[in-house]
Amino acid sequence: QVQLVESGGGLVQAGGSLALSCAVSGRAFSNYFMGWFCQAPGKEREFVAAISWSGGRTYYADSVKGRFTISRDNAKKMVYLQMNKLKPEDTAVYYCAADPQGSYKLRDSYDYWGQGTQVTVSS
């Protein structure tokens, strides 16, 4: 069993930055791809970024490339999402998730999810 707890969300002005963290408990953290998804009101949960087991490979949605950076610390069992140059359309609840399969973009390949943290970007 894996538990995930996100933190770091909040309210920020457009152009600002936020750093999200995800604390992971449970065994075999390094066996999971880790991803971030977001869900805006009335929309489906969508892929934002993912990172491979060792952290050597990262993947991003086109909408966040060059602005967001995902990273992980396997020793600390932590995943991070640095969000820069935020836009009002980035407003959503952000979820951390663990994927044992490595399909990273597919929501259904993620077995474990956190409760989410709200990010609000004002114009």
Side-chain angles (χ1 to χ4, degrees), residues 12-24:
V12 65
Q13 287 189 331
S17 299
L18 279 175
L20 304 184
S21 299
C22 175
V24 183

Side-chain angles (χ1 to χ4, degrees), residues 7 12 16 28 36-37 41 43 53 56 65 72 79-80 86 104 117:
S7 61
V12 65
W36 287 94
F37 284 71
K43 294 188 177 180
W53 300 282
K65 279 181 183 175
R72 69 189 292 167
V79 184
Y80 307 99
L86 282 160
Y104 73 87
T117 185

Side-chain angles (χ1 to χ4, degrees), residues 5-105:
V5 179
E6 303 94 337
S7 61
L11 174 64
V12 65
Q13 287 189 331
S17 299
L18 279 175
L20 304 184
S21 299
C22 175
V24 183
S25 61
R27 55 187 179 179
F29 171 67
S30 59
N31 289 352
Y32 292 91
F33 258 60
M34 297 300 298
W36 287 94
F37 284 71
C38 69
Q39 187 167 18
K43 294 188 177 180
E44 296 210 346
R45 195 170 298 187
E46 59 184 29
F47 171 75
V48 174
I51 189 166
S52 62
W53 300 282
S54 65
R57 288 172 287 158
T58 56
Y59 308 88
Y60 297 93
D62 288 343
S63 59
V64 306
K65 279 181 183 175
R67 300 189 298 122
F68 291 9
T69 303
I70 188 172
S71 60
R72 69 189 292 167
D73 185 331
N74 284 352
K76 295 182 178 179
K77 293 187 176 181
M78 294 291 295
V79 184
Y80 307 99
L81 185 68
Q82 178 64 43
M83 310 166 69
N84 298 328
K85 299 179 182 178
L86 282 160
K87 304 174 181 180
E89 50 263 44
D90 294 322
T91 295
V93 177
Y94 283 73
Y95 297 90
C96 175
D99 167 22
Q101 303 177 47
S103 299
Y104 73 87
K105 265 193 176 181

